[in-house]
Amino acid sequence: MPGGSAEPRDLAARLLASIETRSAFSDKLLATAFRERDLPPAARGRVTRLVKGVLRRRGEIDYLLASRLHERLAGLPVLMRQILRLGVYQLLDSDIPRPMVVDETVRLATKYGHPGTVGLTNAVLRRLCDTEDLRSLLPQGDDPASVAARTSHPEWMVERWMARLGRDATMRVLDSNLRERPTFLRPNPMRGGLAALRARLEVEGVAHDVHGPTGLVRVDERFAPPDSEAFVAGLGTAQDPSEFLVVRLCGARAGQRWLDLCCAPGGKQTGLAEGMGDEGAVVGCDLHPSRLRRARENAARLGTPGLSYVAADGARPPFRAPSRFDGVLVDAPCSGLGVLARRADARWRKEPALLASLPPLQRSLVDSAAGLLGPGGVLVYSVCSFEPEETTDLVGGFLAAHPEFRLDDASPRVGAAYTVDGCYRVLPGQDDMDGAFAARMVRA
């Protein structure tokens, strides 16, 4: 690919077109693109910010484009649509002078379009430049449709959250989902802990601080783990504080045996093992062998002891003895509505039907885990969601059907600020965390 300042925009436009036409996931496409191209870290960072920024702001961008294009946006070739979106995104969220944004966008349109689409691109962007504050063109009402357009979320999500959380809490969630999320690193106690990780980051010139509620190390959102010697050497692993608190809720102790029933990519499994030191064992189970390979690679990088793996369906785990484990973590597949800030393309893939289709699977996993615990055994159910169907409703139904289990109050382990009705819950953006839920249940 030829060099030049337009290269990141060019690659970003083509990746966005692939995401739309192939329903591909942005993280996987970005990783593949970077493996295939010898781009410097700064260029990789710019491509990532452009792709995720357009996906994160797509609702606002398309509303502004529709105000000038009316019905013609959907009829444009898919690549031209992405080029226009990139231009509007940079007009919204860039310190690049507007004339330069227009010129670069038109240049890219010239490369891939015909004179008609090039002229259209130029005209639309110049008309938008006539408005000093582009966001003043967005609907300003408090109704779900206006809020959805203004905050780039599907209307059904906004309507649902407003009805349950109220306007103020919903706006905090929506605003949080629009911000780039920082990367957090969990220090590896097997490789020198917090002091060793921070010392290596200092040598690398990586700006960082310690996240007060959890003690994880927060680095700039432009930090790329594969480019960091500290990460490659296993001094830390990427994990959001919301996930770290799930591990803390488990309370795994030295000498115990734990099962991580849906373990890939292995972040919580290694966290459980680190809590035990050299004395204990954690079995990781996952349906897909390819995902287990990633978990093994992560564990090897960290040098975490006491891990083993089984490729199996968590709803029918191949373990016979009912009291084989001291604890089971069920980090279940879920809607992922708590991590929309990190997964910029996910919000446009989600449908309300997910909240009806997933709970039966989640419940089957929890039921199977219950059978693997003897008296005093700990069952922790977690999801990166805060929807009742996947959280409190599911836990309440399980406890009603399993009177041998009781809910163990989460607050002593995660703090009262993250506890609701005895369960662990974080809303997106709370203390810079992703949204998450977990319940700790003990067999009497």
Side-chain angles (χ1 to χ4, degrees):
M1 178 183 294
S5 63
E7 184 180 73
R9 292 166 52 83
D10 189 322
L11 179 55
R14 288 184 281 121
L15 289 172
L16 286 165
S18 293
I19 290 166
E20 184 163 323
T21 56
R22 294 163 46 193
S23 293
F25 291 98
S26 59
D27 288 341
K28 291 183 179 179
L29 278 182
L30 285 164
T32 300
F34 296 156
R35 280 198 303 270
E36 295 173 349
R37 294 165 177 83
D38 186 20
L39 293 178
R44 292 202 301 269
R46 188 174 179 217
V47 171
T48 300
R49 289 193 295 277
L50 287 171
V51 169
K52 298 213 168 187
V54 168
L55 292 170
R56 195 177 287 119
R57 297 277 183 176
R58 200 181 84 181
E60 296 168 81
I61 293 168
D62 284 2
Y63 187 94
L64 293 172
L65 285 171
S67 72
R68 298 295 182 261
L69 285 169
H70 304 294
E71 302 296 326
R72 287 182 289 174
L73 179 61
L76 288 175
V78 64
L79 186 54
M80 295 305 301
R81 200 156 56 238
Q82 312 314 319
I83 292 170
L84 268 170
R85 283 170 172 162
L86 277 167
V88 176
Y89 169 67
Q90 290 196 296
L91 291 178
L92 278 168
D93 280 319
S94 171
D95 55 5
I96 300 173
R98 286 185 171 189
M100 188 180 294
V101 170
V102 175
D103 289 346
E104 288 187 352
T105 306
V106 169
R107 191 177 301 119
L108 193 56
T110 303
K111 180 176 180 179
Y112 292 109
H114 55 75
T117 54
V118 173
L120 182 68
T121 299
N122 184 53
V124 168
L125 293 183
R126 291 195 183 281
R127 286 183 65 195
L128 287 173
C129 286
D130 290 339
T131 303
E132 183 175 350
D133 180 8
L134 285 181
R135 289 188 172 85
S136 68
L137 300 175
L138 298 168
Q140 301 303 310
D142 282 340
D143 59 289
S146 296
V147 173
R150 201 164 63 242
T151 62
S152 286
H153 282 76
E155 185 177 344
W156 71 267
M157 289 185 192
V158 176
E159 187 171 9
R160 177 183 180 87
W161 294 339
M162 280 189 165
R164 188 170 84 256
L165 303 175
R167 184 190 182 282
D168 290 347
T170 297
M171 293 306 301
R172 286 194 293 271
V173 169
L174 299 174
D175 290 343
S176 168
N177 287 345
L178 293 179
R179 295 198 300 270
E180 286 188 71
R181 301 286 288 116
T183 296
F184 293 86
L185 298 176
R186 186 187 76 219
N188 182 0
M190 313 302 295
R191 298 276 169 87
L194 178 63
L197 174 59
R198 297 196 71 184
R200 184 68 68 89
L201 291 175
E202 289 283 354
V203 171
E204 294 180 29
V206 176
H208 64 278
D209 63 0
V210 176
H211 183 249
T214 59
L216 299 191
V217 176
R218 174 171 41 206
V219 294
D220 186 88
E221 62 267 10
R222 293 170 177 80
F223 176 85
D227 296 331
S228 166
E229 292 182 8
F231 181 85
V232 173
L235 301 185
T237 195
Q239 186 173 57
D240 191 81
S242 64
E243 297 179 314
F244 175 79
L245 288 177
V246 172
V247 176
R248 182 181 286 178
L249 181 64
C250 290
R253 303 191 307 274
Q256 290 188 327
R257 294 174 58 85
W258 275 74
L259 171 65
D260 187 348
L261 197 59
C262 308
C263 75
K268 294 185 179 71
Q269 184 190 14
T270 54
L272 289 169
E274 287 172 8
M276 299 179 189
D278 283 325
E279 302 176 39
V282 187
V283 179
C285 179
D286 202 90
L287 180 61
H288 303 288
S290 60
R291 287 170 57 82
L292 281 179
R293 281 197 297 273
R294 187 177 168 195
R296 290 177 188 273
E297 291 168 359
N298 189 41
R301 179 180 59 81
L302 295 171
T304 311
L307 302 180
S308 57
Y309 303 89
V310 176
D313 182 353
R316 293 181 291 277
F319 307 111
R320 296 179 183 176
S323 56
R324 186 177 180 88
F325 298 100
D326 298 291
V328 180
L329 168 62
V330 181
D331 188 34
C334 69
S335 66
L337 295 186
V339 292
L340 296 182
R342 259 182 221 292
R343 301 172 188 171
D345 48 335
R347 75 189 67 180
W348 309 114
R349 304 173 187 272
K350 307 295 185 185
E351 299 291 342
L354 270 177
L355 298 173
S357 63
L358 284 169
L361 168 62
Q362 294 159 345
R363 176 62 189 271
S364 69
L365 292 168
V366 179
D367 285 339
S368 69
L372 302 173
L373 293 163
V378 175
L379 171 57
V380 175
Y381 166 74
S382 74
V383 285
C384 50
S385 170
F386 52 98
E387 303 305 317
E389 294 92 329
E390 303 179 278
T391 60
T392 51
D393 290 355
L394 188 138
V395 169
F398 170 80
L399 291 172
H402 292 269
E404 71 276 20
F405 280 86
R406 61 171 177 81
L407 182 67
D408 195 28
D409 182 22
S411 58
R413 297 177 185 275
V414 302
Y418 311 127
T419 304
V420 177
D421 295 331
C423 298
Y424 161 61
R425 191 194 75 171
V426 176
L427 292 179
Q430 184 177 352
D431 288 337
D432 221 7
M433 300 188 202
D434 290 335
F437 171 91
R440 175 185 165 98
M441 296 165 282
V442 178
R443 187 161 195 156

